[in-house]
Amino acid sequence: MTSEDLSATQVPASTSLANRYGGQKRAMARKTKRNIVIVALVIGIVFAAWVATSSAQAPVTFKDIGYSTVDGTQAEVDYQVTKYPGATAKCAIKAIDSKFAVVGWKVVEIGPNQPEESADGGSTTVQRTVLRTESPAVSGVVDSCWIVDSGK
C-alpha cells in the first residue's frame, strides 16, 4: 500500500478525531486540585464572615406592627425601631392605597431612647406616626430608616 492508496475511509477513527478536535487533555495534577479546593474554602469562609459581621453591625432596623385608617385623610402606622440607644434615627413612613400608590408620606425623627420607653433595655422603641393622606389608605408601612449624623 502506498500513501496514494490511503483514503479518508482507511485512516483510523482515533487519528481523524484527534486531528479534528485535538488530542486528549492532560488530567489536572492532584496538587492543583487540592490547591483549588483550599482557595475555594478560604473564599467561602471569608464571605461567610463578612456577611455575618456586616449584618450584625446594621445601625438601625425596623419592623412594621400595624396600621389603621382614621378617616379618608388620615392614617396611623405603628412600628418598632431598633438602634443604639444614644443614636438619633429618621424613618420614612408611607401610606398606600389599593393600587399601591403612595397617598401619604412623612419623615419622622426618633431621638435617643429613654430606658423606660424601651422593651429591651434601651435599643427598641415602639413608635406611632400619624400621616395625612390625599385619599383613603389601605395600608401603612415604614419605607426605610437611617441614622442621622450627630455632627449636623
Side-chain angles (χ1 to χ4, degrees):
M1 251 186 185
T2 64
S3 63
E4 295 169 353
D5 293 335
L6 290 175
S7 66
T9 58
Q10 295 175 334
V11 175
S14 62
T15 306
S16 65
L17 288 176
N19 288 338
R20 179 178 286 175
Y21 299 111
Q24 288 184 340
K25 303 284 186 226
R26 291 185 325 159
M28 227 187 298
R30 187 173 186 187
K31 186 176 180 181
T32 304
K33 288 180 187 178
R34 182 178 52 110
N35 289 340
I36 289 173
V37 168
I38 289 172
V39 168
L41 284 172
V42 168
I43 290 172
I45 291 169
V46 168
F47 178 73
W50 175 73
V51 168
T53 58
S54 67
S55 64
Q57 296 173 352
V60 63
T61 59
F62 58 90
K63 178 181 178 184
D64 294 319
I65 297 174
Y67 75 94
S68 61
T69 52
V70 178
D71 57 30
T73 62
Q74 205 172 39
E76 293 179 345
V77 180
D78 296 323
Y79 53 98
Q80 288 180 342
V81 176
T82 303
K83 62 181 180 58
Y84 177 72
T88 299
K90 286 193 176 182
C91 292
I93 316 299
K94 67 181 178 180
I96 56 176
D97 67 8
S98 60
K99 295 179 182 175
F100 301 103
V102 176
V103 294
W105 180 272
K106 188 174 190 179
V107 175
V108 295
E109 185 170 299
I110 301 163
N113 302 354
Q114 301 300 321
E116 63 274 0
E117 64 184 33
S118 175
D120 63 353
S123 335
T124 302
T125 58
V126 176
Q127 304 289 323
R128 172 173 282 170
T129 299
V130 177
L131 298 170
R132 294 175 53 105
T133 60
E134 60 188 40
S135 63
V138 298
S139 183
V141 296
V142 178
D143 186 64
S144 62
C145 288
W146 60 94
I147 295 295
V148 178
D149 185 11
S150 60
K152 290 185 179 180

